């Protein structure tokens, strides 16, 4: 969340699109570095982390930690992209978040028999949100650069 707050303060509609994209790229790289590193660590040592943070009676649930961590990483990246769009006052991309939320909710409702199915549905939903936000950013950047060069 703090990376996104920093991103919002660095980005402005008055700045050049390339400068804003550099700030966004730096924020995404930082999220990938810190979040990706934490995800790898949690994936490799999930039993140790669960035992340390929650107690050894919950170690049986350690199998869910890598997938939940992956969903959180996807959501952090999508959040940074969405905050970027808000910072540059391009609000029309915000509707996709609600649509993906409803899609993910439908997946969870349909596949809620096993916990791992629910976790997998959340990973899929967060990945789709990140993918849509990244695609929107590509279109936004292309549109802005085309507008500047015209």
């Amino acid at each position: 969340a703090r990376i996104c707050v920093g991103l919002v303060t660095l980005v402005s509609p008055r700045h050049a699109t390339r400068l804003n994209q550099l700030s966004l790229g730096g924020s995404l790289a930082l999220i990938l570095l810190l979040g990706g590193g934490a995800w790898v660590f949690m994936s490799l040592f999930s039993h140790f982390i669960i035992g340390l943070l929650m107690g050894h009676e919950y170690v049986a649930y350690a199998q869910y930690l890598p997938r939940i961590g992956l969903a959180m990483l996807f959501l952090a990246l999508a959040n940074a992209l969405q905050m970027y769009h808000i910072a540059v006052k391009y609000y029309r991309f915000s509707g996709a978040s609600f649509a993906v939320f409803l899609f993910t909710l439908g997946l969870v409702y349909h596949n809620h028999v096993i916990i791992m199915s629910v976790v997998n549905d959340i990973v899929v939903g967060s990945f789709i949100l990140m993918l849509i936000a990244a695609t929107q950013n590509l279109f936004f950047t292309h549109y802005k650069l085309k507008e500047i060069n015209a």
Side-chain angles (χ1 to χ4, degrees):
R2 293 188 185 266
I3 294 172
C4 291
V5 170
L7 174 64
V8 170
T9 60
L10 290 173
V11 173
S12 170
R14 294 184 306 267
H15 295 149
T17 301
R18 286 186 177 93
L19 180 65
N20 286 339
Q21 285 291 311
L22 278 172
S23 297
L24 174 63
S27 296
L28 292 175
L30 190 58
I31 289 171
L32 278 173
L33 180 71
L34 297 176
W39 175 70
V40 167
F41 186 77
M42 286 190 303
S43 296
L44 294 174
F45 305 108
S46 58
H47 287 82
F48 171 73
I49 292 172
I50 293 293
L52 181 68
L53 296 178
M54 297 175 59
H56 293 287
E57 59 270 7
Y58 293 100
V59 170
Y61 300 105
Q63 63 183 338
Y64 305 120
L65 187 61
R67 293 208 185 245
I68 292 171
L70 186 61
M72 293 298 112
L73 181 60
F74 289 154
L75 287 173
L77 293 167
N79 184 39
L81 290 162
Q82 293 289 343
M83 293 301 289
Y84 173 78
H85 294 140
I86 291 170
V88 294
K89 299 186 185 325
Y90 216 67
Y91 302 116
R92 68 180 180 193
F93 288 155
S94 299
S97 297
F98 187 67
V100 173
F101 166 73
L102 291 177
F103 174 75
T104 306
L105 194 61
L107 281 176
V108 170
Y109 179 75
H110 186 266
N111 299 322
H112 66 278
V113 177
I114 301 169
I115 294 174
M116 188 55 92
S117 296
V118 172
V119 171
N120 287 337
D121 291 341
I122 292 170
V123 170
V124 167
S126 58
F127 177 75
I128 290 171
L129 179 62
M130 181 196 64
L131 196 62
I132 288 173
T135 304
Q136 289 173 334
N137 187 61
L138 288 174
F139 284 124
F140 170 74
T141 304
H142 177 71
Y143 171 76
K144 280 297 208 181
L145 292 175
K146 190 176 179 182
E147 187 178 89
I148 290 169
N149 293 331

